[in-house]
Amino acid sequence: LQWALPALGVAQRHGHRGHPGAVGVKMAEVPQHRDKRQKMLPGVTGIMLDETMHKKALDLLKTISKRTQAQVFLAPVDWKALNLPEYPKVIKHPMDLGTIQSNLQERKYATLEEFANDIRLVWKNALIFNTPESVYFKNAKKLCEDTEKKLGELEAEGFHTLPALEMPVRCELILAEIMNHPMSEWFLHPVDVEGLGLHDYHKEVSTPMDLTTVQRQLKADQYTNIEQFTKDVKLTFENCIKYNGPGSMFGIVAALVNAVFDRKCALYLNGQVHPQRAGQPVPDRDGWPTFQQKKKFYDACTKLGLTELNTIVKMVNKQCSHALQQHGDKEVELDVDNLDMDTFNKVFKYAKSCTSKAEPGA
């Protein structure tokens, strides 16, 4: 609907051994990873694993599990049989593809991101326990990259099920998902330069950045545009790669997480809130106006005058401003697909009341 109206840093780890999931390191050199999970935004849970998405997740897992490189990741690491006593000291959150399959079958994952993060945890454990030169490390990296491609396809398919979100909230959602990524553990807080003895860190890294700092600045509305937000997030990974080197474990992990961030930004920020093919209506969604309801609303609006239309715009601007898009000084576009049910019911009721008054004999 369109009508005219007045304008309204991380330290590098050394000394890895060789096995999927397990690095022989001096434990004092590097903090043990904790996989600290971030709380998601109230009312925003990401893409849900409904029946359709659940089946696709199972198919994805089966496809990855059939790969030759994935065979060592199908069951928990038997560190006792393999004589790897340091494994449980380094790997605090073991995970394997077989366990993930059981979790899927038992419906333990509510969202696509929860499922994805457990798969990522499998690859993460292998990356931190093995040297970049080992076959386990290389296989984990390759499987991680291939898995992310398939996860990206699922995200694109399920994106239309997300509620309509204003741009700042979309940025918060992306950041929350990235901070919840198991491999983001080393990027959550400022690098402890003194504690880790990294005396040359500030010579190499001129502008330190971390995800918690980005989160704080985002909540404080310190970013005036999306570019500033994305630049700071990417700076976190760029600093890590610059200091540790692109071929180091940390450099490789930073690049992997950065790729996920870029993908989510392309979908959440640059795409439509509810993308669909041109000329096709958005599929009906539970808790949202149906196609027939939106059609009736549109028909009612075609009978309204400029004053009534301006009133509808003001109502929407007050309750659901992200559904409006300004075009120049004299035109605004209302995207009905992005109206939540409460706002839609109010503007539809108003439109019907206006048209009923205009009917003969009303």
Side-chain angles (χ1 to χ4, degrees):
L1 296 175
Q2 291 185 338
W3 53 86
L5 75 163
L8 300 171
V10 180
Q12 188 169 358
R13 186 189 294 262
H14 302 281
H16 304 243
R17 297 184 186 274
H19 189 273
V23 250
V25 300
K26 296 178 181 178
M27 299 310 295
E29 288 182 354
V30 183
Q32 296 175 355
H33 65 287
R34 302 296 182 186
D35 282 326
K36 297 178 180 178
R37 305 284 172 162
Q38 297 292 308
K39 293 182 178 180
M40 296 301 291
L41 301 173
V44 180
T45 57
I47 298 171
M48 303 299 293
L49 273 188
D50 56 18
E51 287 299 323
T52 300
M53 196 58 64
H54 183 267
K55 183 180 183 301
K56 291 181 180 294
L58 272 173
D59 291 342
L60 184 159
L61 185 62
K62 290 179 181 178
T63 299
I64 293 297
S65 297
K66 290 179 181 178
R67 297 275 294 274
T68 301
Q69 304 100 313
Q71 298 311 298
V72 294
F73 303 110
L74 295 180
V77 173
D78 189 350
W79 58 269
K80 291 183 179 179
L82 294 168
N83 193 27
L84 296 172
E86 70 273 33
Y87 187 83
K89 298 177 182 178
V90 177
I91 305 301
K92 297 300 181 181
H93 299 274
M95 186 52 63
D96 62 274
L97 300 180
T99 298
I100 296 173
Q101 182 173 349
S102 297
N103 290 343
L104 266 177
Q105 293 171 339
E106 296 172 15
R107 304 299 178 111
K108 291 185 177 180
Y109 301 118
T111 67
L112 177 63
E113 199 68 10
E114 290 177 6
F115 162 69
N117 281 339
D118 264 2
I119 298 183
R120 291 162 179 159
L121 184 56
V122 176
W123 316 139
K124 173 191 175 182
N125 289 342
L127 294 176
I128 66 176
F129 197 81
N130 301 283
T131 63
E133 297 78 21
S134 74
V135 64
Y136 300 115
F137 187 103
K138 293 177 180 178
N139 285 347
K141 178 177 179 292
K142 175 60 176 173
L143 289 167
C144 180
E145 292 169 340
D146 292 347
T147 301
E148 291 299 339
K149 290 179 182 178
K150 295 183 180 297
L151 286 171
E153 295 173 1
L154 294 190
E155 288 175 352
E157 291 181 33
F159 184 58
H160 74 276
T161 64
L162 288 176
L165 303 172
E166 294 185 355
M167 194 60 70
V169 180
R170 291 193 230 176
C171 291
E172 289 185 39
L173 176 58
I174 293 173
L175 185 59
E177 291 186 344
I178 290 299
M179 294 179 75
N180 217 29
H181 190 304
M183 296 184 197
S184 288
E185 169 198 346
W186 299 283
F187 312 118
L188 294 178
H189 305 289
V191 174
D192 184 3
V193 175
E194 295 299 325
L196 294 172
L198 307 178
H199 306 301
D200 61 340
Y201 187 80
H202 291 299
K203 295 180 181 179
E204 299 289 337
V205 178
S206 59
T207 309
M209 187 54 62
D210 63 275
L211 298 181
T212 298
T213 297
V214 176
Q215 185 181 56
R216 181 173 63 252
Q217 294 179 168
L218 183 62
K219 291 182 177 180
D221 294 327
Q222 293 184 15
Y223 295 117
T224 60
N225 55 57
I226 293 174
E227 288 70 25
Q228 291 178 350
F229 161 70
T230 57
K231 181 180 179 181
D232 270 1
V233 174
K234 293 179 72 64
L235 180 61
T236 302
F237 307 128
E238 290 168 0
N239 287 344
C240 176
I241 295 172
K242 180 179 181 180
Y243 185 75
N244 294 287
S248 68
M249 185 275 284
F250 288 116
I252 290 171
V253 166
L256 290 171
V257 181
N258 183 69
V260 175
F261 176 71
D262 285 344
R263 184 185 76 224
K264 289 181 180 294
C265 285
L267 181 62
Y268 289 19
L269 303 181
N270 299 334
Q272 298 297 316
V273 178
H274 297 295
Q276 71 266 18
R277 295 179 182 177
Q280 292 187 344
V282 171
D284 287 348
R285 298 163 287 161
D286 292 339
W288 292 80
T290 65
F291 174 75
Q292 290 300 324
Q293 288 174 316
K294 290 181 285 189
K295 185 176 183 302
K296 290 179 180 179
F297 175 58
Y298 175 81
D299 292 340
C301 286
T302 60
K303 302 175 183 178
L304 301 180
L306 181 59
T307 300
E308 290 81 8
L309 292 175
N310 282 345
T311 299
I312 288 177
V313 170
K314 291 177 182 178
M315 294 170 67
V316 173
N317 190 51
K318 183 178 180 180
Q319 289 194 230
C320 195
S321 60
H322 58 269
L324 296 174
Q325 184 174 359
Q326 194 80 32
H327 293 285
D329 297 329
K330 296 184 177 181
E331 189 175 74
V332 68
E333 178 181 346
L334 168 59
D335 188 347
V336 183
D337 291 325
N338 286 333
L339 287 178
D340 59 75
M341 200 68 210
D342 182 57
T343 304
F344 178 84
N345 286 336
K346 289 180 179 179
V347 294
F348 191 17
K349 181 179 180 180
Y350 172 76
K352 288 193 295 184
S353 68
C354 292
T355 56
S356 64
K357 293 177 182 177
E359 295 291 337

